[in-house]
């Protein structure tokens, strides 16, 4: 059986690679012109967030996991990438010995970079015995520090031409330079760390690999191994991603929160086993404060709780009801100092000039709920949180916890 010294892995990240007329990315497909596409692609707000995620989270996670392996990570970018980011990538390549930067405007050069780097890593005489694999990683996605342990067994034992998908992970919202709202995320055949098992042909020159097709339907082109036993990635969702490029920022944030709202809550301490660097990076929004001193029963009359917070907020609550509801809602209202209330966004509705509210149906007797107000100014000053139930609520309900998170 091959051992670790016989296996070679390559990661590939496209750092805002300029791909005019590409149908793979909405940003390029929807652009009116190449100039407008480049302007959107190289928007400093977009690039700054991606550079921070890649440099402060993605790369340290890779560094924590690859130790002792034959590993190289290729960052691809175009010559038109602004100098600030080209310089930053070059500095990262000096900091991480496994990182190499490829600047080219030739799509073929980027496509051939995996095979070229394998040939550079492996002596010609050793190529017939080498076990190879490469994987995809977007510049705003993160893999577990156990990723390499998890995939190495497949590289060592399975034939070339197969694909490995680690389908279970987490998702978090990136907003206001922080990560918010940890949720479980099951995404079979997602692109994050999708691994392609390879080998050199008998002449040691050409690479045998699965077809490079859409990651979501890769099993239609190659045998695909799905392993979802452990959380192996963090999907970082944010309003500046390709799929929301056509939306205004408030609408994009609302779409992000709606997407997150369909997934199960997870406690931050779960990250310790797989993403310890992310947990302790200082990028996660913390500062959670409990607002309750007692456990009040809820009714149609608001329970009013004084609060003091500024800027982006996450309101977390847990309730226990006598029975699940089909229509009965719990309503949470945030009152701001006069003149500082943020605009209505997402699921929030206006109560009055100073107050926004959001509601949720209690679908299980014990239920947790989280409501986010992100992308708002630090001058938005919260002064009070109120909680009550709609008139359609049936039975008793207790407010078990209520907390607030601010940056």
């Amino acid at each position: 059986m091959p051992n670790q010294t016989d296996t070679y892995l390559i990661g590939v990240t496209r750092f805002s690679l300029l791909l005019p007329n590409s149908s793979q990315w909405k940003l390029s497909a929807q652009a009116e012109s190449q100039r407008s596409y480049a302007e959107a692609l190289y928007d400093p707000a977009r690039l700054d967030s991606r550079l921070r995620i890649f440099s402060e989270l993605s790369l340290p996670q890779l560094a924590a996991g690859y130790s002792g392996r034959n590993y190289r990570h290729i960052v691809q970018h175009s010559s038109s990438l602004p100098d600030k980011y080209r310089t930053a990538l070059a500095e990262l390549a000096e900091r991480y010995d496994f990182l190499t930067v490829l600047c080219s405007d030739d799509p073929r050069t980027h496509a051939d970079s995996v095979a070229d780097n394998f040939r550079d890593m492996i002596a010609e005489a050793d190529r017939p015995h080498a076990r190879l694999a490469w994987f995809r990683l977007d510049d705003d996605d993160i893999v577990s520090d156990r990723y390499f342990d998890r995939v190495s067994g497949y590289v060592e034992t399975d034939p070339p031409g197969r694909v490995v998908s680690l389908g279970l992970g987490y998702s978090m919202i990136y907003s206001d330079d922080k990560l918010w709202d940890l949720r479980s995320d099951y995404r079979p055949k997602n692109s994050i760390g999708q691994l392609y098992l390879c080998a050199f042909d008998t002449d040691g020159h050409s690479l045998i690999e699965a077809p490079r097709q859409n990651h979501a339907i890769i099993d239609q082109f190659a045998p695909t191994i799905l392993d979802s036993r452990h959380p192996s990635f963090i999907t970082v969702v944010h309003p500046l991603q390709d799929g929301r490029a056509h939306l205004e920022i408030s609408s994009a944030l609302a779409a992000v929160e709606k997407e997150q709202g369909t997934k199960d809550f997870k406690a931050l301490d779960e990250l310790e086993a797989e993403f310890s660097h992310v947990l302790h990076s200082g990028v996660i929004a913390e500062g959670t404060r409990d607002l309750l001193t007692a456990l009040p029963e809820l009714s149609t009359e608001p329970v009013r709780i004084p609060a003091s917070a500024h800027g982006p907020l996450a309101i977390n609550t847990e309730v226990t009801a006598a029975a699940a509801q089909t229509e009965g809602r719990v309503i949470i209202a945030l009152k701001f100092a006069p003149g500082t209330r943020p605009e209505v966004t997402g699921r929030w509705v206006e109560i009055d000039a100073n107050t926004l509210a959001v509601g949720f149906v209690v679908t299980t007797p014990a239920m947790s709920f989280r409501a986010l107000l992100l992308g708002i100014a630090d001058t938005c000053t919260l002064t009070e949180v109120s909680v009550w139930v709609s008139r359609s609520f049936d039975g008793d309900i207790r407010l078990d916890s209520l907390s607030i998170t601010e940056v």
Side-chain angles (χ1 to χ4, degrees), residues 137-152:
L137 186 68
D138 286 350
D139 52 20
D140 55 357
D141 287 323
I142 305 163
V143 292
S144 162
D145 50 20
R146 297 184 183 179
Y147 172 83
F148 294 97
D149 292 338
R150 211 152 276 157
V151 300
S152 288

Side-chain angles (χ1 to χ4, degrees), residues 161-164 210 218-219 221-225:
R162 292 191 178 184
V163 177
V164 180
I218 191 63
D219 55 321
F221 299 92
T224 300
I225 300 165

Side-chain angles (χ1 to χ4, degrees), residues 86-106:
R86 295 183 65 172
T87 299
L89 292 177
E91 291 173 349
L92 288 171
E94 292 181 2
R95 188 186 314 168
Y96 294 99
D97 59 3
F98 59 84
L99 191 65
T100 184
V101 178
L102 173 62
C103 174
S104 177
D105 297 320
D106 179 11

